[in-house]
Amino acid sequence: MKKSSSTILLSNLTGLITLGVLLLLNNLPVYSQEVSTRLPIPPLLDYELSRDGTKVFELVADEGEVQFFNGVSTKTLGYNGNYLGPTIRVRRDDQVSIDVENRLSKPTTIHWHGADVPAESDGGPHQGIRPRRSWTASFQVRQQAATLWYHPHFIETTGQQVYEGLAGLLIIDDDDSDALMIPDEYGVNDIPIILQERRFNQDGLFQYRPRMPDVVHGYFGNELLVNGAIKPYLEVSRGLTRLRLLNGSNSTLLQLRFEGVESVYQIASDGGYLEEPLALSRIILSPGERVEVLVDFRTSDSENARLIAGTNGGANYNAMEFRVGTQISEYQSVPDTLIPIKPIPESEAQLTRRFELQSGMGGRMLINGKTMKMNRIDERVRLGDTEIWQIINRDGSGMGMMGGMMNQPHSFHIHAVQFQILDINGEPPPPELSGWKDTILIWPGDQFRVITRFQSYPGVYMYHCHLLEHEDNGMMGQFEIEGD
Ligand code: C2O
Ligand code: CU
Ligand code: CU
């Protein structure tokens, strides 16, 4: 097992603290009367097998209502329910089709974040579903076991729709993941954890009205939802429990740490397993990023095991509690190795493209000086090519274009592929970022080089900052994969 390198962590921490001080909000919760609830587990979505062996799933996006606080109803959105959506679980090589019905009053789309799917099934801004219409995504699963997720991606309204509850997990299994000796019973010792910071107003309603400073610096909240519940608890046995963590916030960066547990090991990043479990004490997740961890509760004192989430808005949440029973888990030790990762050699790359992320005038968020245009293809990539993408956060130093000091983190997500990080400011990535990634957090002034093979399908895909208010305000571009 490796130890997490602390240099990057330290600079990240300093970043968080500086931002916390800069952007400190009044984060006093409006309510003290939380519903003390067991952690809700999104149900696994059933499917029908069609005659040709396709797994057919159905999702319905609709309006709903949830009591996040005792006696107060909040208007929400959800898939097949009031808030969030069911977990879709598929296997490598599966032929999958997912029918999506839009019962909202607004157009939506549904995007499979992290998945290698044909462009017309990607669910990006070009695959809008009008109210009372349906749409079907069809694809074969041809990537390794990973925790992916799905969410709306309609142009300029992604932030709003995700905020009100539209999101769910998409889990891929394969033979290699089956062979690992790690907890894999969904909802029992293999637990999905969707973390979302939200702002509730005095009436207990979601308040989503980002103004210009919120757009630029982040739409911070006053509560942290865990699978749609406030400060829930989960019963765990003595031994290892696996958690699949997703930061489902719009723009809040989370710094996670476990208290009262023996140890925590990261086993997977966005697109699949690490090569070996990595002992760590803190996890930094930007919106859209996932990690899987094994948490060791062997010696936990039942009253004190908890997950703490700090934010770059200055909040510190007691996110959830773990009630450790007397039952002994059959998983007592972490495996020595997980899944090998073959580095993509730099010499294989045909070219390097450069992407500069920067805040512009009037809350317009720019990539290479441009905001997103639906009818403009920004980059053309040849199917099968290997490329290096160099991504730079230009909101790092000196005077920003807004006239003040800009010190704003961004992130970068590429559709259709998983990539490897070659270097960060010229240094090799720390072990927690050495696996397959589809979304990276880029601190002010930092530069990443990532490498990937564009082996997906011909068609138009997106790349963007995954801080949703940035994405909705222009920090997105389109690349077309061109086949021959
Ligand atoms: Cu999770 Cu283009 O997004
Ligand atoms: Cu995506
Ligand atoms: Cu951004």
Side-chain angles (χ1 to χ4, degrees), residues 365 409-411 465 467 470 475:
M365 308 303 289
H410 292 291
S411 72
C465 177
L467 275 59
H470 292 186
M475 202 171 262

Side-chain angles (χ1 to χ4, degrees), residues 93-275:
D93 298 326
D94 276 356
Q95 196 62 52
V96 174
S97 117
I98 308 171
D99 298 328
V100 186
E101 189 187 330
N102 180 8
R103 287 195 198 148
L104 311 173
S105 57
K106 304 240 172 73
T108 188
T109 79
I110 187 164
H111 165 61
W112 322 103
H113 178 127
D116 169 12
V117 303
E120 60 275 15
S121 289
D122 191 45
H126 295 289
Q127 284 89 46
I129 319 170
R130 281 182 290 164
R132 293 177 304 283
R133 295 295 172 86
S134 294
W135 174 80
T136 301
S138 305
F139 54 90
Q140 184 173 26
V141 180
R142 41 178 221 179
Q143 68 196 97
Q144 60 185 299
T147 304
L148 313 181
W149 65 301
Y150 60 89
H151 62 77
H153 215 303
F154 198 73
I155 191 79
E156 292 171 6
T157 59
T158 297
Q160 174 97 43
Q161 294 186 358
V162 171
Y163 207 85
E164 294 184 355
L166 294 176
L169 291 181
L170 170 62
I171 297 178
I172 299 176
D173 300 305
D174 64 15
D175 294 347
D176 294 334
S177 65
D178 286 357
L180 292 173
M181 288 301 295
I182 51 175
D184 60 358
E185 242 188 291
Y186 183 83
V188 178
N189 56 22
D190 178 353
I191 312 290
I193 306 271
I194 303 174
L195 299 159
Q196 301 172 299
E197 199 195 37
R198 290 293 183 262
R199 190 185 298 182
F200 290 89
N201 70 12
Q202 298 300 324
D203 303 322
L205 298 174
F206 281 141
Q207 180 178 312
Y208 189 74
R209 257 180 286 119
R211 289 183 293 184
M212 206 212 284
D214 304 314
V215 167
V216 176
H217 298 298
Y219 197 68
F220 297 110
N222 49 19
E223 292 288 355
L224 187 79
L225 301 179
V226 188
N227 295 350
I230 294 169
K231 209 169 146 209
Y233 65 87
L234 174 72
E235 282 131 348
V236 295
S237 56
R238 295 203 171 264
L240 299 174
T241 294
R242 172 193 195 156
L243 305 178
R244 299 176 190 254
L245 298 157
L246 160 69
N247 182 350
S249 306
N250 276 31
S251 50
T252 305
L253 314 182
L254 296 176
Q255 179 179 257
L256 306 175
R257 100 193 128 78
F258 292 87
E259 269 182 7
V261 307
E262 175 83 14
S263 42
V264 181
Y265 301 89
Q266 185 183 343
I267 57 168
S269 54
D270 299 335
Y273 290 93
L274 301 180
E275 295 202 283

Side-chain angles (χ1 to χ4, degrees), residues 146-443:
T147 304
L148 313 181
W149 65 301
Y150 60 89
H151 62 77
H153 215 303
F154 198 73
I155 191 79
E156 292 171 6
T157 59
T158 297
Q160 174 97 43
Q161 294 186 358
V162 171
Y163 207 85
E164 294 184 355
L166 294 176
L169 291 181
L170 170 62
I171 297 178
I172 299 176
D173 300 305
D174 64 15
D175 294 347
D176 294 334
S177 65
D178 286 357
L180 292 173
M181 288 301 295
I182 51 175
D184 60 358
E185 242 188 291
Y186 183 83
V188 178
N189 56 22
D190 178 353
I191 312 290
I193 306 271
I194 303 174
L195 299 159
Q196 301 172 299
E197 199 195 37
R198 290 293 183 262
R199 190 185 298 182
F200 290 89
N201 70 12
Q202 298 300 324
D203 303 322
L205 298 174
F206 281 141
Q207 180 178 312
Y208 189 74
R209 257 180 286 119
R211 289 183 293 184
M212 206 212 284
D214 304 314
V215 167
V216 176
H217 298 298
Y219 197 68
F220 297 110
N222 49 19
E223 292 288 355
L224 187 79
L225 301 179
V226 188
N227 295 350
I230 294 169
K231 209 169 146 209
Y233 65 87
L234 174 72
E235 282 131 348
V236 295
S237 56
R238 295 203 171 264
L240 299 174
T241 294
R242 172 193 195 156
L243 305 178
R244 299 176 190 254
L245 298 157
L246 160 69
N247 182 350
S249 306
N250 276 31
S251 50
T252 305
L253 314 182
L254 296 176
Q255 179 179 257
L256 306 175
R257 100 193 128 78
F258 292 87
E259 269 182 7
V261 307
E262 175 83 14
S263 42
V264 181
Y265 301 89
Q266 185 183 343
I267 57 168
S269 54
D270 299 335
Y273 290 93
L274 301 180
E275 295 202 283
E276 49 195 77
L278 171 69
L280 34 76
S281 52
R282 285 185 164 76
I283 301 163
I284 293 179
L285 280 185
S286 72
E289 286 186 293
R290 292 87 63 209
V291 292
E292 293 182 37
V293 295
L294 297 177
V295 184
D296 187 346
F297 292 103
R298 260 180 307 175
T299 54
S300 289
D301 145 10
S302 187
E303 298 306 302
N304 286 316
R306 59 176 60 97
L307 171 62
I308 310 283
T311 77
N312 59 325
N316 216 2
Y317 297 101
N318 216 335
M320 65 179 291
E321 288 175 1
F322 300 93
R323 301 196 178 160
V324 190
T326 48
Q327 208 196 338
I328 309 289
S329 150
E330 60 180 295
Y331 298 95
Q332 292 292 320
S333 59
V334 294
D336 289 331
T337 60
L338 297 162
I339 307 285
I341 297 173
K342 251 185 105 186
I344 305 175
E346 222 182 296
S347 58
E348 201 182 292
Q350 271 84 5
L351 60 90
T352 298
R353 288 176 208 268
R354 203 180 147 92
F355 299 88
E356 298 194 0
L357 313 180
Q358 192 169 24
S359 321
M361 305 290 274
R364 284 152 52 88
M365 308 303 289
L366 312 170
I367 300 181
N368 291 340
K370 301 175 285 186
T371 53
M372 164 76 182
K373 287 278 170 312
M374 286 289 278
N375 57 8
R376 184 190 67 223
I377 302 294
D378 300 280
E379 309 288 336
R380 297 185 187 274
V381 174
R382 281 211 330 265
L383 181 64
D385 271 8
T386 300
E387 296 194 358
I388 296 169
W389 284 22
Q390 179 178 26
I391 308 131
I392 304 152
N393 179 345
R394 301 267 308 193
D395 280 335
S397 53
M399 300 288 279
M401 291 177 71
M402 305 275 303
M405 288 289 283
M406 279 307 297
N407 193 25
Q408 177 55 43
H410 292 291
S411 72
F412 200 76
H413 167 53
I414 312 177
H415 285 210
V417 297
Q418 292 290 334
F419 52 76
Q420 294 174 354
I421 300 174
L422 287 173
D423 44 53
I424 305 171
N425 302 329
E427 302 290 329
E432 62 270 25
L433 296 177
S434 295
W436 293 104
K437 293 286 293 166
D438 56 48
T439 306
I440 45 177
L441 166 60
I442 310 181
W443 293 95

